[in-house]
Amino acid sequence: MPLAALSALAALFLASPFGSPPKASIRCIECHARSTPGIVSDWKLSRHAEASVGCDSCHGTEHGTAADAAKARLPGPDTCARCHAAQVAQYKGSKHALAWAAMMAMPTFHYQSPVLTDGLKGCGGCHAIGLREEADQKAIAKVSGRDYGAGSCDSCHTRHTFSVKEAREPQACKSCHMGFDHAQWEMYDASKHGVRHELVKLGALPATASAPTCQTCHMPKGDHGVMTGWGFLGIRFPLPEDPAWRADQTTIMKALGILDPAGKPTTMLEVVKGAKMARMTEAEWQGERDRMLVTCRQCHAESFARSQLRRGDQMIREADRLMAEAIEIVAGLYRDGLLQRSKGQRVDYPDVLRLHDSASVVELKLFTMFMVHRMRAFQGAFHDSPDHALWSGWSEMQKDLAEIRAAAKEMRRTRPPR
Ligand code: HEC
Ligand code: HEC
Ligand code: HEC
Ligand code: HEC
Ligand code: HEC
Ligand code: HEC
Ligand code: HEC
Ligand code: HEC
């Protein structure tokens, strides 16, 4: 055996990081070392094992045989809060805590198959990071059996290693912040920030070379209270002062069902407030912007950072121009009786939050223009990926608009308005 390996082995014995397991967990560990060995070996790697926090601390002691596994408690944030009150309090004030509520608020959510909405698959696979009401947990259990993943504190430091080192890497965010409508992983990965981080990991740059991760910008000093200025939807109150942009954001809010076709607030506005889907005051938005600037200033001049963030704002404005024009075209088709309402739709107006459940091809186009291409344009700008902002965002929006215009023309030609 090479010397290095021998001394590593010796160090392992001497350091003996594995504290003695609490008495209540000895039987759990003995039996689970056979039934689920991967769980026990991961737990042994954790700081919990080191600190003698056993299986019983999180799962209780009610279950003790293969036949009564249903008696084992599944821990949520309140279990962790007994020992980690600060992180849980931050999380409860974060956007993550609202993920389940925001998902449930979507207009066609309740028509989806439970397999897509419940825990760990489809929408629920990612939105399980949010807090779940007990009533929802019961409803899920009724349809699909035991409700796993409620209020996931294991989303970023996964069970049962619960490792801070894992949580600090951008990959910890990747399984959710990727793909269709929020490709932050792909954008970051392609940005100078992501590339630098990758090169640090590969050893091409020294370990201390500056390279921000998702966590540097969104969880400064380990703050679990993630929240941004513009959020996912890229809307905010009060509406922008610039009259043209204001009009475009108003049109977009109509297509989100927040305003009715006449521009009056709907019940959806309360939902948006409740699930913090938009900042409701100038001060709230500015607070998040200032917090972000403090982070940029660790590595950039303030004027550089400010101008870069302002360009992100301007990208939203530019994208909103194209988006509003497309929405108006489709709204015109409703006005002229060329499109009809579908199941559960309350008004004669396009609703992009109906997602793939929109009834017509032209509305499906509008949905991808909003959810995929407008998102890429501004999210790509904020995440410093020129390719996403331009080619996968802006350029695709131009194409969408041209296609929507052509489709509307064709609909009017083949079936003239009443
Ligand atoms: C005699 C063996 C045995 C002992 C002792 C035991 N378990 Fe289990 N446990 C099992 C088996 C087997 C399952 C899996 C049942 C299944 O396949 O769904 C299980 C399941 C679980 C589950 C998952 C429950 C679920 O609904 O999926 C948890 C959590 C758990 N055990 C924790 C513990 C804890 C904590 C202790 C000690 C207090 C313990 N176990 C003691 C055998 C044991
Ligand atoms: C720090 C808290 C914590 C400790 C300590 C802990 N667990 Fe868990 N365990 C969790 C969490 C969180 C989940 C996920 C619950 C969910 O999905 O709802 C979980 C889930 C499980 C599951 C079911 C899910 C699966 O992947 O099969 C089993 C079985 C389990 N734990 C066994 C154990 C055993 C055995 C020990 C001790 C060696 C242990 N746990 C120690 C927090 C803990
Ligand atoms: C009975 C108390 C207790 C409970 C319950 C508990 N922990 Fe811990 N946890 C500890 C202790 C003790 C440590 C290590 C000492 C420290 O905080 O420095 C620790 C450390 C951690 C760490 C840091 C690990 C590292 O790599 O440094 C994470 C992450 C963590 N816990 C997450 C959780 C989560 C998530 C839950 C709930 C599912 C949970 N803990 C439940 C006591 C607990
Ligand atoms: C299990 C899936 C999952 C993981 C892992 C995850 N997130 Fe999230 N994140 C979400 C969901 C879902 C939302 C939307 C929350 C809502 O709807 O209220 C969200 C929202 C956010 C927001 C708020 C955006 C806004 O509206 O202002 C930020 C910032 C964020 N996540 C950053 C991160 C970072 C950084 C990581 C990794 C350290 C991470 N997330 C890991 C699922 C996840
Ligand atoms: C979005 C990803 C994410 C989620 C969700 C998350 N954490 Fe963390 N957690 C992190 C990161 C990143 C760190 C490391 C922060 C740092 O750099 O110090 C961390 C660190 C911790 C630590 C160690 C703190 C220390 O100073 O050593 C604890 C304890 C912890 N988290 C508990 C929790 C609990 C409890 C929950 C559920 C309410 C939770 N975390 C949910 C990402 C997350
Ligand atoms: C260099 C800093 C930085 C890094 C690194 C970074 N972000 Fe962001 N992120 C931002 C800024 C700036 C915004 C826009 C803030 C605003 O709305 O004012 C943002 C916005 C977001 C949002 C809200 C929607 C959006 O995209 O505009 C989410 C979610 C998010 N980031 C997740 C992530 C994830 C996940 C990673 C890593 C894969 C990451 N970010 C990496 C700075 C960063
Ligand atoms: C791959 C993981 C994933 C899946 C699957 C997923 N989401 Fe999300 N969702 C996220 C993330 C991450 C965010 C936050 C993105 C951001 O802020 O840019 C989010 C944001 C949202 C928001 C916006 C919240 C806000 O405050 O603005 C809603 C609503 C939503 N999702 C509903 C759904 C519904 C409904 C489904 C299923 C049809 C679904 N999601 C499927 C990860 C997912
Ligand atoms: C931990 C340090 C660090 C943080 C924090 C950071 N950056 Fe950077 N950033 C860098 C480095 C290093 C580069 C590569 C510089 C180069 O290309 O010569 C870079 C590059 C960039 C670039 C690409 C353009 C250029 O100059 O090459 C932009 C845009 C940018 N950063 C904006 C931001 C913004 C906005 C923030 C805050 C939201 C931020 N950065 C936070 C380190 C950081």
Side-chain angles (χ1 to χ4, degrees), residues 75-228:
D78 291 329
T79 315
C80 317
R82 292 198 335 256
C83 305
H84 304 300
Q87 286 80 12
V88 176
Q90 290 163 354
Y91 159 83
K92 284 193 174 174
S94 79
K95 193 69 186 86
H96 278 148
L98 293 162
W100 196 263
M103 172 191 79
M104 296 252 286
M106 291 305 97
T108 58
F109 181 76
H110 297 281
Y111 310 149
Q112 311 298 318
S113 154
V115 76
L116 297 174
T117 55
D118 286 2
L120 310 185
K121 302 278 179 283
C123 315
C126 303
H127 284 263
I129 199 170
L131 280 175
R132 205 127 90 217
E133 304 275 340
E134 218 172 291
D136 295 332
Q137 287 178 272
K138 286 200 176 123
I140 290 173
K142 230 173 159 180
V143 180
S144 308
R146 189 154 197 179
D147 180 40
Y148 291 95
S152 272
C153 292
D154 59 353
S155 298
C156 305
H157 24 69
T158 52
R159 65 182 188 267
H160 282 85
T161 40
F162 291 108
S163 155
V164 149
K165 267 188 155 168
E166 175 191 0
R168 283 187 186 136
E169 293 299 331
Q171 283 86 349
C173 322
K174 181 180 177 181
S175 57
C176 304
H177 287 276
M178 50 73 65
F180 194 71
D181 51 343
H182 32 65
Q184 284 101 5
W185 166 262
E186 292 89 327
M187 292 163 188
Y188 167 75
D189 193 41
S191 75
K192 269 292 173 222
H193 293 144
V195 168
R196 294 251 315 189
H197 180 71
E198 193 182 5
L199 293 177
V200 167
K201 290 284 141 185
L202 290 171
L205 278 170
T208 49
S210 59
T213 58
C214 319
Q215 292 83 341
T216 313
C217 296
H218 294 295
M219 298 183 70
K221 299 200 176 81
D223 184 352
H224 283 56
V226 303
M227 185 87 70
T228 64

Side-chain angles (χ1 to χ4, degrees), residues 4 6 15 31 43 61 65 84 86-87 97 108 124 130 138 149 171 185 212 217 263 281 312 338 340 347 410:
L6 257 179
C31 188
W43 173 77
T61 51
T65 68
H84 304 300
Q87 286 80 12
T108 58
K138 286 200 176 123
Q171 283 86 349
W185 166 262
C217 296
T281 64
L338 290 159
Q340 275 79 41
V347 289
E410 184 60 15

Side-chain angles (χ1 to χ4, degrees), residues 187 315 374-386 388-389:
M187 292 163 188
M315 187 59 94
R374 176 175 175 272
M375 293 297 177
R376 291 208 183 194
F378 81 86
Q379 295 177 353
F382 280 130
H383 291 99
D384 309 305
S385 169
H388 282 94

